[in-house]
Amino acid sequence: MKAIWNGAIGFGLVNIPVKIYSATETTKLDLDMLDKSDFSNIRFKRVNENTGKEVKWENIVKGYLMDDKYIVLDEEDYEAASPEKTKILSIDQFVKEDEVDSVYFETPYYLEPQKNGESAYRLLLKALEETAMVGIGTFVLRDTEAIGMIRPYNDEILVLNRLRFDQEIRDYADLKIPARKAPKPAELKMAVSLIQQLSQEFDPTMYKDTYSDELLKIIKQKAKGKNVKARKTETAKEGKVIDLMAQLKASLNHSKSKSAS
């Protein structure tokens, strides 16, 4: 794995040197974009809009348009904006993990302690476990300020969850959400029964990216010259009145029969 950030966690007056690694990888099939006429690969180029010529990565800079003039930024400018946050993720507060709504969760990263930081790393990990708390702080990652939530994972490593800022969460006032009308007691009772019947401990290994597997099967069939026909699925019709009780009863019976088999 390649580290994407090299700095320290600020924990009180203790600094724990760490490196940050991405904790996830995509399972999506790597499909290429092709020209429909001859299946040639599509290439993207970074082109100077004035000359039409391609520009190499090392010759590309970033700038901010102000009063019709670009102000160009370099590495020193990014660091000068908040020098401490480019190197230190300072934990500002500790909170209960369940107080952080999942709508704020973005990307998980692994934290690896660096030389002379191992003891403090283990100390923070164990202290978070014992208190059932998580640490929240901000830092700068790839020229962008981010909120990080540090928590123990599998009792052996610290994980940093990047969180969204509150102003990034969109307002849902424009959506047509049903009024706060209480459901019928019988329907609610049956819905609760269905939930209880399907309740079990969360096991993430139960869920696989089967879509990519199925897509790969189709690719292999087409490679052998076989035709592929999509199965038709019924979609819910808009405006149709739903008999909730009948659907809930059928769901309960279906769930029971699956459990029995």
Side-chain angles (χ1 to χ4, degrees):
M1 282 194 278
K2 186 179 177 184
I4 60 169
W5 192 84
N6 194 348
I9 301 170
F11 171 40
L13 296 177
V14 179
N15 278 353
I16 309 170
V18 293
K19 285 185 178 178
I20 292 179
Y21 299 84
S22 178
T24 59
E25 58 188 3
T26 181
T27 57
K28 208 173 152 186
L29 286 180
D30 186 15
L31 301 177
D32 292 329
M33 295 179 73
L34 307 172
D35 186 326
K36 187 178 177 181
S37 63
D38 64 354
F39 302 152
S40 295
N41 278 288
I42 301 296
R43 301 290 179 208
F44 294 92
K45 291 183 177 179
R46 295 165 292 279
V47 176
N48 182 316
E49 69 174 8
N50 289 328
T51 65
K53 292 181 179 177
E54 187 174 0
V55 183
K56 292 181 179 178
W57 266 117
E58 58 264 32
N59 293 329
I60 294 177
V61 296
K62 288 184 179 178
Y64 184 84
L65 186 61
M66 180 178 282
D67 299 330
D68 295 329
K69 183 183 175 185
Y70 274 110
I71 310 299
V72 176
L73 299 172
D74 57 32
E75 286 301 317
E76 288 186 358
D77 296 322
Y78 294 123
E79 289 196 13
S82 188
E84 66 285 355
K85 287 187 178 179
T86 60
K87 297 294 179 189
I88 296 180
L89 193 171
S90 181
I91 297 176
D92 302 319
Q93 59 176 325
F94 292 94
V95 301
K96 293 285 183 189
E97 185 174 355
D98 59 11
E99 291 176 4
V100 184
D101 194 285
S102 63
V103 75
Y104 293 99
F105 283 29
E106 204 174 63
T107 314
Y109 300 96
Y110 293 134
L111 294 173
E112 179 191 49
Q114 298 304 292
K115 191 176 179 184
N116 299 324
E118 297 90 344
S119 297
Y121 182 95
R122 290 295 303 171
L123 174 68
L124 178 59
L125 192 153
K126 281 291 163 195
L128 289 174
E129 282 179 352
E130 284 204 14
T131 56
M133 304 288 271
V134 296
I136 306 287
T138 56
F139 67 116
V140 172
L141 178 66
R142 293 171 176 160
D143 311 333
T144 306
E145 183 159 7
I147 311 176
M149 182 183 85
I150 297 173
R151 63 182 175 86
Y153 178 62
N154 281 349
D155 300 333
E156 57 185 347
I157 189 170
L158 288 172
V159 159
L160 169 72
N161 265 102
R162 184 169 176 166
L163 303 179
R164 297 180 178 90
F165 284 96
D166 190 58
Q167 63 261 40
E168 294 179 75
I169 308 301
R170 298 172 73 181
D171 191 350
Y172 53 82
D174 291 341
L175 302 183
K176 294 175 183 173
I177 307 298
R180 288 176 181 267
K181 181 183 171 187
K184 294 175 183 173
E187 290 174 350
L188 180 60
K189 186 178 177 183
M190 200 161 283
V192 170
S193 296
L194 180 60
I195 290 170
Q196 290 172 338
Q197 196 168 297
L198 296 173
S199 295
Q200 55 185 294
E201 193 171 325
F202 176 57
D203 178 7
T205 61
M206 284 177 57
Y207 299 91
K208 306 287 183 190
D209 178 7
T210 57
Y211 181 79
S212 291
D213 291 342
E214 294 300 321
L215 198 55
L216 187 59
K217 283 182 191 172
I218 288 172
I219 290 170
K220 288 178 178 175
Q221 285 177 13
K222 293 190 80 167
K224 292 177 182 174
K226 295 180 181 176
N227 289 326
V228 177
K229 203 170 181 180
R231 293 191 304 270
K232 287 187 178 178
T233 54
E234 287 189 15
T235 54
K237 292 178 181 173
E238 282 186 38
K240 187 180 178 184
V241 177
I242 300 170
D243 186 342
L244 269 178
M245 279 302 281
Q247 289 193 345
L248 285 166
K249 280 181 185 173
S251 301
L252 272 169
N253 292 334
H254 178 68
S255 175
K256 282 177 184 171
S257 63
K258 272 184 77 178
S259 301
S261 62

